[in-house]
């Protein structure tokens, strides 16, 4: 369909090139940037860069806008880490004036097997043997120390008492809510009551260890750890009492039976466990050397025996009865 060229005297005519034979690409201006919320722009960007599976993420900038790689941000992270380390060191130095941090870590060195076996002994201590703690002697200093809880089932720990304390607070609040007596301030009241019992018992223990001339910090920590095992019996008593009351089984006498059993189990457990703390062996020098030494050791042992019975039965009975009345 092409026409013959015009005469030479006429100017040349320019005809458009047919589109079906054109191979020259057309230049276009780049499209305006699309917001990240539009999935089409992200999809196109991913396909152009060979990432077909990343739809909708093509136009997202680097994480936090490159804030992590900013030198100023890295300097801030280093300063925060230094401040945290300084604060931890300050707490350890000031807290170490009252309690040894290294000795406190000893009581949290537990395993799952230890926790299960310890709970069984606390609830069923009647046939457990032996009750004595295992010791080990260091090769360098020749000092004798007790094994941690993960290596000795008779070693006291603070993991179970703390977890039992928290469980008691939550369980008491839950049972109050099931009875329809839940109030917003009940959680704070229960927490205050439980912590008050712990503090009051620690004061009694501190007074008893002072009067009985027990000055070792490890023995004091042992007594503090043993004071928290009663929450295990209180939790079991609350659970079974609430369960039986829901089915109207046994009335109020079943709660007393469960409470008395949990109390006696806890008292027997403390009575056998605290013998090595409050009833040390008599001074060998007092046996053949001087009557005064033996008399002093015998009177001290009698006083510690009375304190052990008072603490295991009378004090624990009052505190467990107080905590069970929720």
């Amino acid at each position: 369909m092409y026409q013959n060229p015009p005469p030479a005297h006429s100017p040349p005519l320019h005809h458009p090139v047919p589109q079906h034979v054109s191979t020259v690409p057309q230049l276009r201006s780049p499209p305006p940037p699309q917001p990240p919320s539009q999935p089409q722009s992200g999809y196109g960007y991913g396909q152009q860069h060979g990432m077909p599976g990343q739809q909708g993420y093509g136009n997202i900038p680097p994480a936090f806008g490159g804030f992590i790689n900013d030198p100023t941000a890295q300097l801030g992270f280093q300063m925060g880490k230094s401040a945290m380390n300084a604060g931890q060191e300050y707490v350890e130095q000031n807290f170490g004036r009252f309690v040894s941090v290294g000795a406190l870590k000893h009581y949290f060195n537990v395993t799952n097997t230890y926790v299960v076996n310890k709970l069984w002994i606390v609830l069923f201590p009647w046939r457990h043997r032996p009750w004595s703690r295992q010791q080990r002697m260091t090769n360098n200093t020749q000092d004798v120390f007790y094994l941690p809880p993960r290596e000795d089932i008779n070693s006291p720990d603070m993991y179970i008492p703390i977890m039992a304390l928290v469980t008691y607070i939550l369980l008491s609040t839950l049972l109050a809510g099931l009875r329809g007596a839940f109030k917003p301030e009940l959680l704070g009241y229960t927490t205050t009551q439980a912590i008050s019992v712990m503090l009051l018992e620690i004061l009694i223990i501190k007074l008893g260890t002072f009067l009985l001339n027990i000055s070792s910090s490890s023995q004091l920590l042992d007594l503090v750890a043993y004071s928290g095992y009663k929450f295990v019996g209180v939790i079991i008593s609350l659970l079974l009492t609430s369960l039986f009351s829901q089915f109207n089984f046994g009335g109020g006498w079943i709660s007393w039976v469960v409470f008395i059993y949990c109390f006696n189990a806890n008292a027997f457990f403390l009575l056998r466990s605290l013998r090595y703390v409050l009833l040390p062996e008599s001074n060998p020098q007092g046996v053949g050397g001087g009557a005064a030494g033996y008399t002093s050791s015998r009177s001290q042992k009698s006083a510690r025996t009375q304190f052990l019975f008072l603490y295991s039965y009378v004090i624990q009975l009052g505190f467990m009865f107080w905590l069970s009345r929720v």
Side-chain angles (χ1 to χ4, degrees):
M1 295 177 60
Y2 292 98
Q3 299 179 1
N4 295 329
H9 62 274
S10 299
L13 298 178
H14 299 279
H15 297 277
V17 181
Q19 296 181 358
H20 63 277
V21 296
S22 176
T23 58
V24 180
Q26 297 181 1
L27 299 178
R28 298 179 181 178
S29 60
Q34 301 294 334
S37 59
Q38 297 182 2
Q40 296 180 356
S41 61
Y43 180 80
Y45 183 87
Q47 286 188 343
Q48 292 176 6
H49 289 76
M51 297 179 294
Q54 299 180 359
Q55 299 183 7
Y57 297 93
N59 294 335
I60 296 180
F64 301 99
F67 176 75
I68 301 299
N69 299 326
D70 190 2
T72 305
Q74 294 181 0
L75 179 61
F77 291 151
Q78 294 294 334
M79 294 177 61
K81 184 177 180 180
S82 300
M84 183 179 299
N85 294 335
Q88 182 179 1
E89 183 179 358
Y90 175 80
V91 171
E92 291 181 356
Q93 290 178 356
N94 289 270
F95 188 71
R97 299 177 180 177
F98 306 97
V99 179
S100 176
V101 178
L104 191 61
K105 292 180 180 179
H106 170 88
Y107 295 90
F108 289 93
N109 188 8
V110 299
T111 59
N112 295 333
T113 304
Y114 168 83
V115 172
V116 174
N117 294 333
K118 194 71 171 186
L119 291 176
W120 178 265
I121 294 175
V122 172
L123 295 176
F124 305 97
W126 317 109
R127 303 186 64 179
H128 175 68
R129 297 291 187 280
W131 291 91
S132 60
R133 295 183 59 181
Q134 301 180 12
Q135 300 178 356
R136 178 183 299 171
M137 180 179 297
T138 59
N139 297 328
N140 298 330
T141 60
Q142 300 297 324
D143 293 335
V144 179
F145 63 94
Y146 289 112
L147 295 180
R150 67 166 50 240
E151 301 179 19
D152 184 11
I153 190 61
N154 294 323
S155 176
D157 69 284
M158 290 190 180
Y159 176 80
I160 294 178
I162 291 179
M163 295 303 297
L165 173 63
V166 176
T167 305
Y168 165 77
I169 295 173
L170 298 179
L171 179 62
S172 301
T173 307
L174 176 62
L175 294 179
L178 295 177
R179 296 192 303 266
F182 175 78
K183 297 180 181 179
E185 61 273 10
L186 183 60
L187 184 61
Y189 171 78
T190 306
T191 305
T192 304
Q193 179 183 2
I195 296 178
S196 299
V197 169
M198 292 290 296
L199 294 178
L200 181 59
E201 186 171 354
I202 291 175
L203 290 177
I204 296 176
I205 294 176
K206 185 65 176 179
L207 179 61
T209 54
F210 174 76
L211 296 177
L212 297 175
N213 195 20
I214 303 176
S215 60
S216 177
S217 60
S218 61
Q219 292 177 349
L220 178 59
L221 291 177
D222 290 345
L223 294 174
V224 174
Y226 281 119
S227 66
Y229 286 111
K230 63 178 170 294
F231 286 101
V232 177
V234 173
I235 291 173
I236 298 300
S237 178
L238 290 177
L239 282 177
L240 295 181
T241 301
S242 177
L243 181 63
F244 290 140
S245 62
Q246 291 293 331
F247 295 98
N248 295 325
F249 178 78
W253 67 268
I254 192 67
S255 62
W256 283 104
V257 172
V258 175
F259 173 78
I260 292 175
Y261 173 83
C262 293
F263 159 71
N264 281 279
N266 180 73
F268 184 81
F269 168 78
L270 294 178
L271 188 66
R272 300 303 301 268
S273 299
L274 291 176
R275 292 187 61 184
Y276 77 95
V277 179
L278 299 178
L279 301 177
E281 297 295 333
S282 301
N283 188 3
Q285 297 179 357
V287 177
Y294 178 75
T295 304
S296 176
S297 177
R298 184 175 57 183
S299 61
Q300 189 179 48
K301 184 177 180 179
S302 176
R304 293 184 179 186
T305 303
Q306 296 176 4
F307 176 74
L308 177 59
F309 179 83
L310 180 67
Y311 171 77
S312 300
Y313 282 90
V314 180
I315 296 178
Q316 295 298 319
L317 176 61
F319 284 145
M320 292 185 66
F321 180 79
W322 184 14
L323 293 173
S324 299
R325 305 296 97 186
V326 296

